[in-house]
Every structure is written in structure tokens, then in C-alpha cells.
Amino acid sequence: MWLSALSGAAAPAHVVGYDQASGFGLVQALGRLGVPPLELGSADASGVGDPVIIAGEGGLPHALKAAVVSKREFAGYWEYVLDEAIFTAPAHPQWGGAALIGADGRLAAIGSLLVQEKIDAGTIQGNMLVPIDLWTRRSSPARPTRAGAAPPASAPTAGSRASARCSCRRRAARASRPRAT
């Protein structure tokens, strides 16, 4: 697995943990990407009506100012239930894995779906986001290290595609490695 930044910098990465119930994964970069990590916050910090930023793939030019339109239970037909999902509007076109950044500048939720919200007499498109609190309450994965090894280039980070996008490029990485002759 590789992570790549908007600048074009890339680094190998590996999955540190995955939570089946929330769908959250934790990925650790094994090299430097030249981007600062987004600090984990809490979905509790953003209430209905509060302004937020939805940051999807593409960096700052593709970030979207939005508002929390509701916080309520969400049940998907695939047996996926959240006690309090966050719904925002307007919709971000790159919602999958997008970061919901609260007024405190911290990661509050991860984008999951494009939805239609009923507002007064009509409907609008918005996003459903999974509160980051589900990850922080359920998991506290240990930072993997090997005896005598240098510390990893970066701490494990709950992933979003806000500043780096994750793509599986194993074949490309193998193809670009120098080969012994």
C-alpha cells in the first residue's frame, strides 16, 4: 500500500488496525510525505448549525465549507447502524474518506455517503459522516516497533483523503524497484 500527497510525494504504508463495526482503518506511513498530520478531535465539538470544513481528495482548493444539518441515528440496509451520524450540507463530491474538520481545526468525522436531506418543503444533497469518536472510543492500537529499529517516520494516523490519498500500488512499486543482475 502506498500513500501519496498532493505534492506528488509518496511513501509505502501498512495497515495498523481495522475496526469492523465502524469501518475505520488505521494506516501508518513508513516514510515522510511532507504533510502535517490532522489532529483527532471529537464529533461532540460540532453541533447542528455549526460551520465545518469537508476536505476531500485534492487539498485546499477542493475543501468545502458546509454546515451540520443534523446529528441522528443512521441505519443502513447492510446492517450498519450508527447511534449518532453527522449529516452536512452542501454535499462534497469527493465524500468517501473526506475529513470533517470542526471549528477547532481537528478531525471530527470521516465521510461515508452522499445522501438526500429533507429540509422544510424540499430536499438537498448532503453527506453522512461517521464520527471519529467511534474510533477513539473503541481502539487504542499500539504503535508497532521492532526491537532495535529506528522509530517509524510517522505515528499511525486515522486516514482521510484530506491531505493524502491511499492507493494500492504494489505492482507499480515492485516494477520500479532496482533488480539485481
Side-chain angles (χ1 to χ4, degrees):
M1 175 183 308
W2 286 78
L3 296 177
S4 61
L6 190 58
S7 67
H14 72 107
V15 176
V16 175
Y18 177 73
D19 180 60
Q20 188 72 31
S22 67
F24 282 139
L26 189 66
V27 176
Q28 180 178 18
L30 300 175
R32 303 220 182 265
L33 290 169
V35 295
L38 192 54
E39 288 186 44
L40 296 179
S42 174
D44 294 338
S46 298
V48 174
D50 288 352
V52 294
I53 299 292
I54 308 296
E57 183 177 0
L60 188 58
H62 296 275
L64 177 72
K65 183 178 176 182
V68 176
V69 294
S70 72
K71 293 174 89 172
R72 64 178 189 278
E73 182 179 76
F74 175 81
Y77 66 87
W78 56 96
E79 298 181 19
Y80 183 75
V81 179
L82 298 172
D83 291 335
E84 189 175 78
I86 300 174
F87 295 84
T88 62
H92 194 292
Q94 299 287 331
W95 71 88
L100 183 149
I101 303 169
D104 61 0
R106 295 176 180 212
L107 179 65
I110 302 289
S112 181
L113 295 170
L114 179 67
V115 296
Q116 285 191 340
E117 287 291 297
K118 191 172 187 174
I119 304 290
D120 299 323
T123 59
I124 59 170
Q125 284 195 334
N127 297 122
M128 188 278 283
L129 300 101
V130 180
I132 196 67
D133 306 73
L134 292 177
W135 176 266
T136 57
R137 287 180 195 143
R138 290 185 182 162
S139 305
S140 55
R143 187 172 175 179
T145 56
R146 294 186 312 260
S154 66
T157 308
S160 85
R161 296 189 307 185
S163 60
R165 66 186 157 105
C166 173
S167 60
C168 294
R169 297 190 205 164
R170 289 186 184 121
R171 286 189 196 130
R174 279 190 289 248
S176 66
R177 287 186 197 141
R179 296 184 185 177
T181 54

